[in-house]
């Protein structure tokens, strides 16, 4: 009888899959919620990025996320994207970038995901651009990581490059990544980072993703195991991760992609299940889904982790891309499909076809044209293009000048209406100009080599105004006002990136500037006062001068939220790692606080030191000794047009020009 009871009991165990092992207790994210989240986010991506282009935002990661999801997408979407890629490659004659070779890796991944031939894109073999390892590693560890992922995605052979300084090989990449392990060869060894000695979750999990296929090598397995041990300890009680002190969606997304690549069950592996303050068990999926936005997509951070600026608490493009492909990775793992980056199945699994669900309007209360809260991560419904942030504007309309008067100083004034606002225009030639050229871009760098950064002081002006520089008769470039530099120089001080073709004499000519400031009329309507530098009637730009913050800059404030915090450090890190494009001139100036013609880890370190310890940036040393600076400067006015540079700055300008 006892045996019969036991047999019946065992049959129930087998039939219903009961388990006695607490170590296998599952906290799985429900498949119904997973499918709903994927469908909603896919629809959001499809609607907000209707025409993906070659770009880190609104481009390849969106295409890859959709292609690896198993969700049907109209064939035309992928085909049109491929045509745009082909045109971009042809127009660039194969040169997507001379410094960021992750551009090639990213495009290779997206094209592999949609089953396209990466060896013949408009006649160019994209793999060949990764065959010189000296190029691949120009970005530091991030370049080799994604090159290896790209090569393995389609199980591609690495082209032989007889002209390469160092031929790229899989083993060479693996050895490079292993050699970059933090504290390698010591008892503290484990994890990776772009800089510093603290293992960073993003870079560590990305490194693991690239090494996942090579754990049969003893050294690889040991390095991965050490990294997992450290990352287990770094996981937060929410189930998520932070980077640079900020808990965020993307770091946790990279963890999900890495662990599923290793075949680790994130729902049952106790190393990656934490207990929150209420005693609830939290998995990586819990950690990431706390950033999920109603109706689809992801925020970068939650309120309370944003440094007080609100940056990234709304729908965020980069977080949405990474959150979506992390969902793909989890979905593929629990359904026994190829891992996210193993795309050898693309010809069989790419889902093509009409999908009415993609046409549904996203129900997202936080969706503002799918723009994130920082100025760098925006998805844009305008054909997937992003504003490049340059400050050039076409001048249109006419001032309709009238009521010309002369003030006590002899300046002529007249009023007009621009864009519905009352404008007072003043001819002003009395201000003295001083300029400092502090750096120029360099070949293959993130700062364009045809740009130079110039500090401009108007020494007879003390208050902030919006200042435009006349590039041509119909085009002007706006300068960025710096409160920090103005405080140190004790006069109104501005900064801008100019084309190197703009001559010093033009910058010192007061006739090339226009000055705008905002005043309030008695009836509480905005009044714009414009100081114009010549006496002739001009076509005025219909510009909104009611928001001077558009023309202000704070050094270290990468996302332009008026707060320097950990989010800015994360953004620079994302730019250096290739996850985020650098196309905004204001952003370039804000980041390059080290003033050395390049954007690199030195800028990260200075921004971090300023954020943590309030240390001054190198750029402030331009005005470190005001007395000597003032004594040595030549000034420009109506009678005198010479540059304002200390001997130190003159030498620096000469060096940059020679470079």
């Amino acid at each position: 009888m006892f045996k019969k009871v036991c047999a019946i009991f065992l049959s129930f165990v087998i039939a219903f899959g009961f388990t006695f092992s607490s170590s296998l207790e599952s906290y799985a994210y429900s498949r119904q919620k997973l499918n709903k989240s994927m469908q909603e986010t896919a629809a959001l991506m499809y609607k907000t990025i209707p025409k993906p282009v070659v770009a880190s935002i609104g481009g390849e990661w969106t295409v890859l996320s959709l292609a690896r999801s198993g969700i049907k997408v109209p064939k035309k979407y992928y085909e049109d994207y491929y045509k745009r890629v082909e045109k971009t490659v042809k127009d660039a004659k194969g040169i997507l970038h001379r410094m960021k070779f992750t551009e090639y890796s990213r495009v290779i991944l997206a094209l592999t995901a949609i089953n396209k031939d990466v060896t013949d894109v408009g006649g160019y073999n994209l793999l060949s651009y990764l065959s010189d390892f000296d190029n691949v590693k120009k970005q530091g560890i991030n370049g080799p990581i994604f090159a290896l992922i790209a090569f393995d995605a389609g199980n591609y052979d690495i082209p032989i490059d007889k002209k390469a300084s160092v031929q790229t090989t899989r083993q060479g990449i693996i050895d490079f990544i292993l050699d970059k392990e933090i504290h390698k060869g010591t008892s503290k060894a484990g994890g990776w980072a772009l800089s510093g000695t603290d293992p960073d979750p993003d870079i560590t999990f990305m490194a693991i993703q690239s090494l996942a296929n090579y754990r049969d090598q003893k050294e690889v397995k040991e390095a991965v195991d050490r990294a997992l041990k450290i990352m287990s300890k770094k996981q937060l009680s929410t189930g998520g991760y932070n980077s640079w002190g900020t808990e965020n969606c993307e770091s946790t997304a990279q963890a999900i992609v890495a662990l599923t690549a290793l075949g680790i069950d994130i729902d049952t592996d106790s190393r990656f299940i934490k207990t929150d303050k209420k005693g609830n068990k939290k998995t990586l999926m819990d950690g990431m889904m706390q950033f999920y936005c109603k109706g689809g997509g992801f925020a970068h951070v939650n309120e309370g982790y944003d440094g007080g600026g609100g940056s990234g608490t709304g729908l965020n493009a980069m977080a949405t891309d990474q959150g979506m492909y992390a969902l793909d990775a989890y979905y593929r793992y629990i359904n026994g499909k190829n891992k996210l980056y193993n795309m050898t199945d693309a010809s069989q699994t790419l889902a093509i076809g009409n999908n009415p669900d993609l046409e549904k309007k996203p129900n997202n209360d936080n969706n503002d044209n799918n723009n994130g809260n920082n100025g760098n991560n925006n998805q844009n419904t305008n054909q997937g293009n992003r504003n490049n942030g340059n400050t050039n504007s076409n001048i249109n309309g006419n001032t309709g000048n009238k009521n010309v008067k002369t003030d006590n100083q002899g300046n002529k004034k007249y009023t007009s209406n621009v864009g519905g606002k009352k404008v007072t225009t003043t001819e002003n030639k009395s201000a003295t100009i001083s300029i400092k050229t502090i750096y120029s871009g360099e070949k293959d760098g993130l700062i364009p080599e045809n740009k130079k950064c110039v500090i401009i002081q108007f020494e007879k002006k003390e208050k902030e105004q919006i200042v435009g520089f006349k590039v041509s008769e119909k085009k002007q470039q706006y300068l960025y006002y710096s409160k920090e530099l103005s405080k140190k120089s004790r006069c109104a001080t501005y900064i801008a990136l100019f084309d190197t073709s703009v001559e010093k004499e033009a910058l010192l000519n007061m006739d090339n500037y226009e000055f705008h400031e905002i005043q309030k009329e008695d009836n509480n309507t905005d009044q714009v006062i414009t100081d114009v530098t010549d006496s002739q009637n001009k076509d005025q730009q219909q510009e909104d001068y009611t928001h001077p913050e558009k023309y202000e800059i704070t050094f270290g404030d990468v996302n332009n939220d008026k707060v320097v915090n950990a989010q800015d450090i994360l953004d620079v890190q994302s730019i250096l790692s290739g996850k985020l494009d650098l196309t905004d001139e204001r952003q370039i100036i804000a980041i390059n606080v080290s003033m050395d013609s390049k954007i690199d880890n030195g800028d990260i370190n200075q921004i971090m030191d300023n954020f943590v310890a309030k240390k001054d940036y190198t750029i402030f040393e331009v005005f470190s000794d005001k007395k000597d600076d003032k004594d040595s400067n030549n000034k420009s006015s109506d009678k005198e047009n010479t540059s304002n540079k200390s001997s130190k700055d003159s030498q620096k300008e000469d060096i940059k020009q020679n470079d």
Side-chain angles (χ1 to χ4, degrees):
M1 182 66 180
F2 175 75
K3 290 182 179 180
K4 185 176 181 180
V5 171
C6 287
I8 294 172
F9 177 71
L10 287 173
S11 67
F12 272 88
V13 170
I14 294 171
F16 294 100
F18 296 158
T19 178
F20 299 101
S21 174
S22 60
S23 64
L24 293 179
E25 187 174 1
S26 176
Y27 301 96
Y29 188 71
S30 77
R31 296 198 179 201
Q32 183 179 2
K33 288 183 179 180
L34 173 64
N35 292 336
K36 184 174 185 290
S37 301
M38 291 178 69
Q39 288 286 350
E40 289 179 341
T41 304
L44 177 71
M45 288 177 149
Y46 183 76
K47 292 287 287 184
T48 56
I49 308 295
K51 296 182 180 181
V53 295
V54 176
S56 58
I57 300 297
E60 283 70 43
W61 295 120
T62 300
V63 171
L64 182 149
S65 297
L66 291 173
R68 299 301 284 166
S69 69
I71 296 171
K72 280 187 177 182
V73 174
K75 183 178 181 179
K76 189 176 186 300
Y77 186 84
Y78 295 135
E79 292 298 326
D80 287 351
Y81 162 71
Y82 178 74
K83 290 176 183 177
R84 286 188 287 274
V85 172
E86 194 173 39
K87 183 179 186 305
T88 299
V89 172
K90 283 183 177 180
D91 290 348
K93 296 182 179 179
I95 308 298
L96 295 180
H97 207 285
R98 295 185 183 276
M99 180 64 87
K100 293 171 57 181
F101 282 79
T102 50
E103 295 286 299
Y104 295 98
S105 299
R106 192 184 68 236
V107 174
I108 289 168
L109 285 171
L111 295 185
T112 305
I114 61 174
N115 197 33
K116 294 296 183 182
D117 183 1
V118 300
T119 67
D120 184 10
V121 181
Y124 295 91
N125 182 352
L126 299 186
L127 298 171
S128 68
Y129 294 92
L130 300 175
S131 60
D132 188 333
F133 193 57
D134 278 355
N135 288 333
V136 171
K137 64 183 183 181
K138 281 184 177 180
Q139 287 172 263
I141 191 174
N142 204 59
I145 284 174
F146 277 96
L148 188 56
I149 292 174
F151 285 133
D152 287 350
N155 196 23
Y156 297 119
D157 292 330
I158 301 176
I160 301 299
D161 185 353
K162 294 181 180 180
K163 296 181 180 180
S165 301
V166 178
Q167 172 65 45
T168 302
T169 65
R170 280 180 166 83
Q171 192 58 51
I173 297 177
I174 293 168
D175 292 342
F176 180 88
I177 296 171
L178 292 176
D179 190 56
K180 294 298 181 181
E181 183 184 23
I182 293 174
H183 298 305
K184 180 178 173 62
T186 72
S187 60
K188 297 180 180 179
W192 290 267
L194 278 177
S195 63
T197 58
D198 184 26
D200 177 70
D202 290 70
I203 299 301
T204 296
F205 284 124
M206 289 176 185
I208 291 173
Q209 293 163 24
S210 70
L211 297 173
N213 295 329
Y214 303 94
R215 283 168 296 152
D216 57 333
Q217 297 184 25
K218 181 175 181 291
E219 193 175 354
V220 171
K221 184 179 185 305
E222 290 174 348
V224 169
D225 287 345
R226 286 191 293 269
L228 291 177
K229 185 176 181 180
I230 291 173
M231 289 298 105
S232 175
K233 292 179 180 179
K234 280 183 168 285
Q235 189 180 14
L236 304 175
S237 62
T238 60
Y241 281 91
N242 65 30
S243 185
W244 295 92
T246 302
E247 184 176 9
N248 64 89
C249 172
E250 296 94 313
S251 297
T252 312
Q254 295 304 326
I256 293 172
V257 175
L259 296 189
T260 54
L262 294 173
I264 292 175
D265 190 336
I266 63 174
D267 294 326
T268 63
D269 194 306
S270 60
R271 292 175 296 176
F272 296 97
I273 299 175
K274 305 303 178 186
T275 304
D276 68 10
K277 295 178 181 179
K278 297 181 180 180
N280 300 315
K281 299 293 184 181
K282 295 293 182 180
T283 68
L284 286 166
M285 284 297 292
D286 292 319
M288 187 177 76
M289 295 308 292
Q290 65 179 313
F291 301 102
Y292 188 73
C293 296
K294 180 182 178 182
F298 291 83
H300 169 61
V301 295
N302 281 331
E303 189 175 355
Y305 292 92
D306 59 1
S311 176
T313 56
L315 196 60
N316 181 278
M318 187 164 66
T320 296
D321 280 338
Q322 295 188 39
M324 181 61 179
Y325 68 64
L327 292 179
D328 292 348
Y330 180 67
Y331 166 81
R332 299 183 75 82
Y333 174 79
I334 64 176
N335 286 285
K337 299 179 181 293
N338 280 20
K339 305 302 188 291
L340 177 72
Y341 289 133
N342 180 359
M343 302 178 187
T344 55
D345 63 345
S347 61
Q348 289 82 37
T349 61
L350 181 64
I352 297 292
N354 294 328
N355 186 348
D357 290 336
L358 294 184
E359 302 295 337
K360 291 180 180 179
K361 183 178 180 180
N363 179 24
N364 196 312
D365 294 340
N366 296 321
N367 184 14
D368 182 15
N369 292 328
N370 203 30
N371 288 337
N373 284 317
N374 69 50
N376 314 319
N377 298 338
N378 293 347
Q379 289 178 321
N380 192 305
T381 57
N382 184 18
Q383 302 182 3
N385 295 327
R386 294 151 318 286
N387 189 330
N388 66 7
N390 67 50
T391 53
N392 292 339
S393 301
N394 290 325
I395 302 174
N396 49 51
N398 190 290
T399 58
N401 301 328
K402 58 182 181 179
N403 299 328
V404 179
K405 298 180 180 179
T406 303
D407 63 16
N408 295 333
Q409 287 75 40
N411 295 322
K412 291 183 178 180
K413 292 186 177 182
Y414 51 87
T415 60
S416 60
N417 189 290
V418 178
K421 299 180 184 298
K422 184 178 180 181
V423 176
T424 299
T425 303
T426 305
E427 300 165 8
N428 189 326
K429 298 184 179 182
S430 62
T432 298
I433 306 174
S434 298
I435 68 172
K436 297 177 185 288
T437 300
I438 58 174
Y439 60 82
S440 299
E442 58 184 15
K443 185 177 180 181
D444 298 339
L446 293 177
I447 303 174
E449 62 179 321
N450 66 333
K451 294 290 184 179
K452 61 182 177 182
C453 187
V454 182
I455 293 175
I456 304 175
Q457 299 166 255
F458 298 98
E459 298 207 359
K460 291 188 178 181
K461 290 182 177 291
E462 297 180 356
K463 61 182 179 180
E464 174 186 358
Q465 293 174 294
I466 297 171
V467 180
F469 175 79
K470 185 173 69 175
V471 178
S472 66
E473 288 301 321
K474 293 187 177 181
K475 193 175 186 180
Q476 63 178 304
Q477 174 175 342
Y478 286 91
L479 314 184
Y480 294 107
Y481 175 77
S482 169
K483 292 181 181 179
E484 296 160 305
L485 293 180
S486 296
K487 182 178 180 180
K488 291 182 177 295
S489 68
R490 298 193 289 275
C491 66
T493 303
Y494 298 76
I495 190 168
L497 283 181
F498 292 96
D499 288 344
T500 52
S501 60
V502 176
E503 297 181 355
K504 176 179 65 178
E505 289 73 19
L507 292 172
L508 290 167
N509 187 349
M510 198 65 184
D511 289 346
N512 290 330
Y513 295 91
E514 293 185 358
F515 298 86
H516 315 271
E517 67 175 289
I518 301 170
Q519 289 187 351
K520 293 287 185 179
E521 292 182 327
D522 293 338
N523 59 1
N524 293 323
T525 59
D526 289 329
Q527 181 185 30
V528 183
I529 308 297
T530 306
D531 287 349
V532 178
T533 58
D534 60 39
S535 58
Q536 298 178 2
N537 294 344
K538 293 177 177 281
D539 286 341
Q540 293 294 320
Q541 177 188 355
Q542 291 188 3
E543 186 74 20
D544 181 9
Y545 302 121
T546 63
H547 299 285
E549 64 273 8
K550 293 194 303 182
Y551 311 99
E552 296 173 350
I553 194 165
T554 300
F555 293 103
D557 180 19
V558 183
N559 54 29
N560 202 27
D561 63 356
K562 307 307 174 187
V563 179
V564 178
N565 55 25
Q567 176 59 48
D568 298 297
I569 300 169
L570 280 170
D571 284 345
V572 182
Q573 187 182 36
S574 296
I575 288 167
L576 290 177
S577 66
K579 293 195 295 185
L580 196 63
D581 284 335
L582 178 63
T583 56
D584 189 330
E585 292 187 355
R586 185 207 58 77
Q587 194 180 47
I588 289 173
I589 299 170
I591 294 175
N592 191 27
V593 294
S594 59
M595 208 174 68
D596 60 356
S597 293
K598 62 182 68 174
I599 291 174
D600 53 20
N601 290 330
D603 297 301
I604 289 181
N605 293 334
Q606 287 204 24
I607 295 173
M608 185 163 57
D609 287 344
N610 177 270
F611 170 54
V612 174
K614 304 301 180 184
K615 292 184 179 180
D616 271 356
Y617 302 124
T618 299
I619 196 169
F620 293 160
E621 294 178 7
V622 171
F623 300 107
S624 60
D625 190 344
K626 180 62 181 175
K627 182 178 185 298
D628 292 342
D629 184 53
K630 186 174 182 179
D631 290 342
S632 63
N633 285 345
N634 294 318
K635 297 179 180 179
S636 166
S637 64
D638 290 331
K639 299 179 180 180
E640 183 176 36
N641 286 330
T642 57
S643 68
N644 176 23
K645 298 189 293 290
S646 65
S647 59
K648 175 181 176 181
D649 292 315
S650 298
Q651 293 170 3
K652 182 174 293 185
E653 182 176 14
D654 291 340
I655 291 172
K656 299 307 177 187
Q657 289 174 345
N658 290 335
D659 287 343

